[in-house]
């Protein structure tokens, strides 16, 4: 591998997209060094970021295509043979069963360019509606709730830099101390500045230990908790009536629903004592500014959209949204979970966050693509529904950057569906558990070997730079799509140069909710990222790309910290050729709804899809640990991370352990209606006695997602990862 010295880039893991430099190591390898000029992480990196370069090694990654031989094993092959096999399988499926027999499954780690090209490939080269991505499992409930309330979904409608300056943060179902450690400093600084932190989590996590108040609700009851807090806000006269009157609609119905959730009822449902409910309301309402931030805890539920909607109601009723240093936001999980769904790899969306069912959106994108709008298929299945249809309606699957054998709910069933396919093709960096099932595996470039853009949790579009030459035998996903499209008869429209793809993405997104048309590679390099929406100026010459400045010339600039907290909330009209500055803060003037008002959601608590009973008396919730990431396909190949987190475990309360007769480290079996998992016990008072916790990073007998419930939210189609009924048994020798 060849490498330029001190190339600035961004971490391949979570949605912070921490900046780093890749530099030449004395032994001829590569090492990650700090890059302090980026305002999000300010030089800080977690263990995953510090060791990210180790997955670049040919020791752990794929360097040759693999094809399934006659004896059933995967063997090395040439690129032409591998691509011919995939294209042939896709063509046969279309001829024999129709376009929708071809499925496409993407990932929240793909760059914006690759996500855009993958969506275009599905709809233009294959003509299939059957495309979705693993980001559906990330923040789709928050996206649905945000769109319903505000008319727009962007994870954080304000920069992270605003968090330490607010008066109070309610952090719901998030453990950033482990999931995105560099972000914890924002909450530490909040408290140092006199603000307060309230953490809502059934476990006393490392983040909850930092809180001024920790609320530990029973899993699946976050909706009741939010409604109970709103009830108290109303009862105690803490609503902002002027704000409600001037900037919202639907308050009467939402208030009536909340008033049915009186504090004593909420205590019975959630297990959170009434005095703690009252204290939370006092802390949230006392300062002039406050925020609610949600993550997977309330979102990964079969009522996740309504749950997030209830927390948004709390913000709206107290006048917090669209005001300086206040509001509702979602902490996106995957590295490009935000951008990944904005540009077309989600079942119901076109580039620019346009709706696939909108005739005007279809015309605009079809014009950019040079196709007939009527040729574009309609919305397809959501992620789990797509996986569930494998081997029946969907006969052939092209999968990029995802590992559903480990990460999908009801994972044993999903594994069976993958095995039942006529043909499975996987593009990945490593031989994941899903890739091991494939008929063809293509080795593709990764973060440090390709240029491209991502969009972090703030809506800040960032430029990753190519720092390394990939090993021989490895190609980019863009090259794969170009070659497959050509074999399927589409010779043009799939460039392999990332900047050329981005220029087309700009045109396709222009005028859409997620408008990137005013963003160029040059601007991203010069400005440390640009917040969308960022429309192009009237004079296109003002946004001509031009050469990207050399790394040493990139100035230390950040529009989020430089701008005032009362900056314009909507894109300002460009004057002549002046570039639009981007939009760090949304909703300060109006909401992008038809009447400019935010909408309350009239929601009420309801039980989880699966409640405990005599056979399954305990609740299971799942999550992450600091030294592994998502399905672990990459982090489980790093020795330092495996030493810190070598395998799965079951976290349980001492009272439950005593009933089982289990000691620390003893194997226990967790059984749900979908299967069983076995892992060592980890006994702690930091979890509720009626709940067990398992991290979901591992395959095999400790696979947590063997147990999880695929019950879907009716709006977001998010599976209910965070709560299901189980029984726990000690393993007897």
């Amino acid at each position: 591998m060849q490498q330029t010295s001190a190339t600035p880039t961004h971490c391949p893991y979570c949605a912070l997209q921490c900046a780093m430099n890749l530099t030449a190591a004395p032994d001829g390898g590569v090492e990650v060094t700090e890059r302090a000029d980026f305002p999000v992480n300010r030089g800080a990196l977690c263990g995953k970021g510090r060791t990210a370069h180790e997955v670049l090694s040919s020791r752990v990654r794929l360097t040759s295509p693999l094809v399934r031989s006659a004896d059933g094993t995967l063997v090395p092959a040439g690129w032409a043979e591998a691509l011919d096999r995939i294209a042939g399988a896709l063509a046969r499926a279309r001829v024999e069963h129709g376009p929708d027999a071809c499925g496409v499954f993407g990932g929240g780690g793909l760059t914006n360019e690759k996500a855009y090209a993958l969506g275009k490939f599905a709809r233009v080269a294959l003509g299939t509606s059957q495309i979705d991505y693993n980001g559906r499992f990330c923040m789709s409930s928050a996206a649905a709730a945000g769109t319903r309330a505000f008319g727009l979904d962007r994870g954080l409608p304000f920069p992270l830099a605003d968090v330490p300056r607010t008066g109070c943060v309610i952090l719901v179902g998030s453990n950033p101390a482990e999931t995105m450690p560099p972000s914890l400093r924002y909450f530490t600084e909040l408290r140092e500045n006199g603000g307060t932190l309230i953490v809502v989590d059934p476990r006393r996590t490392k983040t909850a230990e930092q809180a001024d108040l920790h609320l530990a609700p029973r899993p699946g009851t976050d909706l009741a908790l939010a409604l109970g807090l709103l009830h108290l806000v109303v009862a105690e006269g803490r609503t902002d009536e002027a704000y409600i009157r001037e900037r919202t609609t639907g308050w009467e119905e939402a208030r009536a629903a909340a008033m049915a959730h009186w504090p004593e009822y909420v205590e019975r449902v959630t297990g959170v004592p009434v005095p703690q409910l009252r204290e939370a309301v006092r802390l949230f309402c006392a300062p002039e500014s406050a925020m609610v931030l949600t993550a997977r805890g309330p979102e990964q539920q079969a009522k996740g959209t309504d749950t997030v909607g209830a927390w948004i109601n709390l913000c709206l009723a107290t006048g917090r949204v669209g005001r300086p240093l206040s509001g509702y936001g979602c902490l996106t999980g995957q590295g490009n979970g935000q951008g990944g769904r904005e540009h077309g790899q989600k079942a119901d969306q076109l580039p620019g966050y346009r709706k696939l069912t909108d005739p005007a959106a279809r015309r605009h994108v079809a014009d950019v693509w040079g196709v007939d709008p009527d040729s574009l298929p309609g919305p397809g299945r959501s992620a789990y529904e797509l996986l569930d249809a494998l081997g029946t309606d969907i006969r052939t699957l092209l999968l990029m950057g995802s590992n559903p054998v480990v990460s999908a709910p009801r994972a044993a069933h999903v594994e069976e569906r993958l095995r039942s396919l006529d043909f499975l093709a996987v593009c990945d960096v490593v031989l994941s558990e899903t890739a091991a099932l494939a008929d063809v595996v293509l080795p593709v470039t990764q973060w440090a070997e390709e240029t491209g853009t991502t969009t972090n949790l703030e809506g800040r579009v960032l430029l990753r730079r190519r720092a390394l030459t990939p090993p021989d035998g490895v190609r980019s996903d863009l090259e794969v799509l170009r070659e497959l499209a050509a074999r399927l008869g589409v010779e043009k429209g799939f460039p392999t140069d990332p900047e050329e793809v981005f220029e087309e993405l700009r045109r396709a997104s222009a005028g859409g909710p997620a408008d990137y048309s005013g963003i160029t590679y040059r601007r991203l390099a010069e400005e440390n990222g640009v917040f969308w929406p960022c429309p192009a100026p009237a004079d296109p010459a003002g946004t001509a790309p031009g050469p990207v400045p050399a790394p040493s010339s990139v100035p230390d600039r950040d529009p989020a910290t430089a701008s005032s907290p009362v900056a314009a909330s909507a894109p300002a009209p460009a004057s002549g050729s002046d570039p639009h500055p981007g939009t760090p803060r949304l909703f300060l003037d109006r909401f992008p709804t038809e009447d400019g008002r935010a909408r309350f959601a009239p929601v009420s608590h309801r039980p989880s899809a699966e409640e405990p009973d005599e056979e399954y008396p305990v609740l299971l919730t799942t999550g992450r640990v600091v030294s592994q990431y998502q399905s672990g396909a990459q982090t489980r190949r790093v020795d330092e991370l495996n030493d810190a987190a070598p395998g799965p475990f079951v976290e349980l309360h001492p009272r439950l352990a005593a009933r089982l007769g289990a000691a620390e480290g003893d194997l226990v079996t967790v059984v749900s209606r979908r299967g069983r998992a076995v892992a060592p016990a980890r006994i702690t008072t930091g979890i509720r006695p009626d709940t067990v916790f398992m991290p979901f990073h591992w395959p095999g007998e400790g696979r947590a997602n063997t147990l999880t419930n695929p019950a879907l939210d009716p709006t977001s189609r998010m599976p209910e990862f965070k709560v299901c009924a189980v029984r726990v048994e000690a393993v007897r020798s």
Side-chain angles (χ1 to χ4, degrees):
M1 290 188 296
Q2 297 177 346
Q3 184 236 354
T4 59
S5 60
T7 301
T9 188
H10 292 268
C11 180
Y13 293 118
C14 83
L16 284 181
Q17 285 298 281
C18 294
M20 56 176 62
N21 286 318
L22 285 182
T23 59
D27 62 1
V30 181
E31 65 181 15
V32 172
T33 56
E34 293 182 356
R35 180 181 155 198
D37 69 300
F38 187 59
V40 175
N41 64 307
R42 291 178 271 170
L45 295 170
C46 73
K48 295 185 291 293
R50 286 189 295 99
T51 60
H53 63 288
E54 294 194 21
V55 187
L56 298 167
S57 168
S58 297
R59 177 179 61 87
V60 300
R61 55 95 56 84
L62 297 169
T63 56
S64 171
L66 303 174
V67 299
R68 188 73 59 184
S69 66
D71 65 4
T73 60
L74 285 171
V75 298
W79 270 93
E81 178 188 356
L83 291 166
D84 286 346
R85 287 200 187 193
I86 298 171
L90 292 168
R92 282 192 302 276
R94 285 199 302 171
V95 170
E96 296 174 5
H97 305 285
D100 279 358
C102 299
V104 178
F105 199 87
L110 300 180
T111 62
N112 290 318
E113 292 80 359
K114 292 191 287 187
Y116 172 84
L118 187 62
K120 182 180 180 182
F121 175 82
R123 296 179 174 105
V124 174
L126 293 177
T128 182
S129 67
Q130 300 304 301
I131 176 172
D132 211 67
Y133 82 129
N134 65 13
R136 175 79 66 172
F137 301 155
C138 178
M139 57 175 289
S140 58
S141 293
T147 301
R148 182 172 68 183
F150 310 134
L152 181 70
D153 156 48
R154 195 180 83 184
L156 292 182
F158 42 73
L160 271 172
D162 286 359
V163 170
R165 302 165 60 199
T166 193
C168 177
V169 171
I170 302 180
L171 190 60
V172 189
S174 178
N175 182 18
E178 298 204 58
T179 58
M180 45 180 66
S183 73
L184 191 63
R185 68 169 59 183
Y186 290 98
F187 302 101
T188 301
E189 292 170 4
L190 164 74
R191 299 184 70 213
E192 291 173 349
N193 292 339
T196 55
L197 175 63
I198 302 170
V199 171
V200 179
D201 199 304
R203 304 166 59 223
R204 188 162 182 80
T205 63
K206 292 181 180 178
T207 303
E209 290 173 354
Q210 308 297 315
D212 298 281
L213 178 63
H214 173 212
L215 308 181
R218 180 176 176 269
T221 64
D222 309 87
L223 177 51
L225 178 62
L227 290 165
L229 296 180
L230 182 53
H231 176 112
L232 287 171
V233 165
V234 175
E236 296 176 5
R238 297 179 182 270
T239 56
D240 188 330
E241 294 297 327
Y243 176 93
I244 292 170
R245 184 172 57 254
E246 295 166 6
R247 300 207 59 188
T248 73
T249 188
W251 169 233
E252 293 302 323
E253 296 84 354
R255 179 176 60 185
M259 296 314 289
H261 298 75
W262 59 95
E264 291 75 17
Y265 165 74
V266 171
E267 179 180 305
R268 289 199 302 273
V269 171
T270 67
V272 178
V274 171
Q276 288 190 2
L277 298 175
R278 295 188 182 279
E279 178 66 2
V281 168
R282 186 189 69 81
L283 292 174
F284 183 69
C285 293
E288 182 178 348
S289 59
M291 299 175 180
V292 172
L293 305 177
T294 67
R296 306 302 80 75
E299 297 163 18
Q300 287 181 327
Q301 299 183 32
K303 53 181 182 289
T305 301
D306 284 354
T307 300
V308 174
W311 289 103
I312 291 174
N313 286 351
L314 179 67
C315 292
L316 292 174
T318 52
R320 304 301 194 183
V321 184
R323 284 182 169 172
L325 308 179
S326 290
Y328 163 78
C330 167
L331 299 178
T332 309
Q334 294 191 82
N336 197 31
Q338 181 72 50
R341 70 179 178 281
E342 292 170 1
H343 298 300
Q345 66 172 333
K346 193 162 173 274
D348 55 350
Q349 287 174 190
L350 288 170
Y353 223 143
R354 288 181 159 91
K355 293 180 180 179
L356 192 52
T357 54
D358 178 1
R362 294 169 65 88
R363 286 194 300 272
H364 175 87
V365 174
D367 182 61
V368 174
W369 288 351
V371 299
D372 184 342
D374 292 338
S375 71
L376 298 179
R381 292 175 172 91
S382 70
Y384 179 77
E385 292 166 304
L386 188 157
L387 295 171
D388 189 43
L390 299 180
T392 55
D393 295 340
I394 300 172
R395 310 302 292 267
T396 299
L397 181 69
L398 173 64
L399 185 147
M400 281 188 172
S402 185
N403 188 19
V405 166
V406 178
S407 63
R410 198 185 173 197
H413 172 72
V414 168
E415 183 175 345
E416 290 176 2
R417 301 321 309 152
L418 285 160
R419 292 181 184 275
S420 74
L421 283 163
D422 294 344
F423 193 91
L424 171 63
V426 173
C427 302
D428 211 330
V429 173
V430 297
L431 190 67
S432 69
E433 287 73 22
T434 303
L437 304 180
D439 296 282
V440 174
V441 183
L442 299 181
V444 291
T445 52
Q446 52 180 311
W447 61 290
E449 300 162 348
E450 59 189 13
T451 295
T453 62
T454 62
T455 306
N456 80 344
L457 77 173
E458 309 166 297
R460 186 194 301 251
V461 185
L462 303 167
L463 180 65
R464 285 185 187 167
R465 300 169 183 269
R466 174 172 166 154
L468 309 173
T469 301
D472 292 338
V474 173
R475 298 187 184 180
S476 75
D477 294 285
L478 295 178
E479 291 176 285
V480 169
L481 294 174
R482 192 269 307 274
E483 292 295 326
L484 290 177
R487 284 166 168 80
L488 292 168
V490 183
E491 297 286 346
K492 297 181 179 179
F494 291 92
T496 60
D497 176 66
E499 188 168 6
E500 186 177 348
V501 177
F502 189 79
E503 288 300 300
E504 184 179 308
L505 181 157
R506 290 175 59 202
R507 297 195 303 275
S509 74
D515 190 336
Y516 283 33
S517 61
I519 304 174
T520 64
Y521 272 29
R522 181 179 182 86
R523 285 194 65 183
L524 295 177
E526 291 178 342
E527 299 176 32
N528 248 335
V530 177
F531 291 83
W532 72 260
C534 182
D539 176 7
T543 60
V548 176
S552 60
S553 68
V554 178
D556 179 10
R557 293 178 55 193
D558 178 38
T561 54
S563 62
S564 162
V566 294
S569 64
S575 174
S577 61
D578 291 339
H580 188 282
T583 315
R585 296 170 183 86
L586 300 171
F587 315 141
L588 295 182
D589 300 321
R590 70 187 308 274
F591 295 94
T593 58
E594 290 184 3
D595 58 6
R597 294 170 175 263
R599 305 181 184 96
F600 281 95
V603 297
S604 296
H605 175 69
R606 57 187 183 273
S608 298
E610 190 174 80
E611 291 287 334
D613 56 22
E614 289 186 3
E615 188 177 3
Y616 301 99
V618 177
L619 291 169
L620 168 70
T621 192
T622 63
R624 289 169 46 189
V625 297
V626 66
S627 293
Q628 299 290 350
Y629 180 73
Q630 301 300 81
S631 74
Q634 296 187 40
T635 52
R636 285 187 275 111
R637 288 166 167 80
V638 177
D639 291 341
E640 178 182 327
L641 300 179
N642 278 332
D643 289 344
F649 58 86
V650 181
E651 190 176 276
L652 64 164
H653 192 274
R655 271 189 263 166
L656 178 56
R659 289 203 300 271
L660 300 172
E664 179 77 16
D666 286 354
L667 290 179
V668 296
T669 301
V670 184
V671 185
S672 78
R673 290 177 173 85
R674 290 153 294 281
R676 63 180 58 229
V678 180
R682 183 173 293 182
I683 301 173
T684 173
T685 58
I687 194 168
R688 293 174 55 97
D690 59 3
T691 301
V692 294
F693 166 83
M694 290 187 71
F696 60 82
H697 310 291
W698 290 274
E701 67 175 6
R703 181 174 60 185
N705 278 320
T706 297
L707 308 168
T708 49
N709 190 353
L712 301 180
D713 180 287
T715 303
S716 69
R717 315 309 287 169
M718 167 74 83
E720 191 151 74
F721 287 100
K722 286 303 181 191
V723 53
C724 69
V726 299
R727 68 174 181 267
V728 187
E729 304 165 344
V731 175
R732 307 302 180 189
S733 58

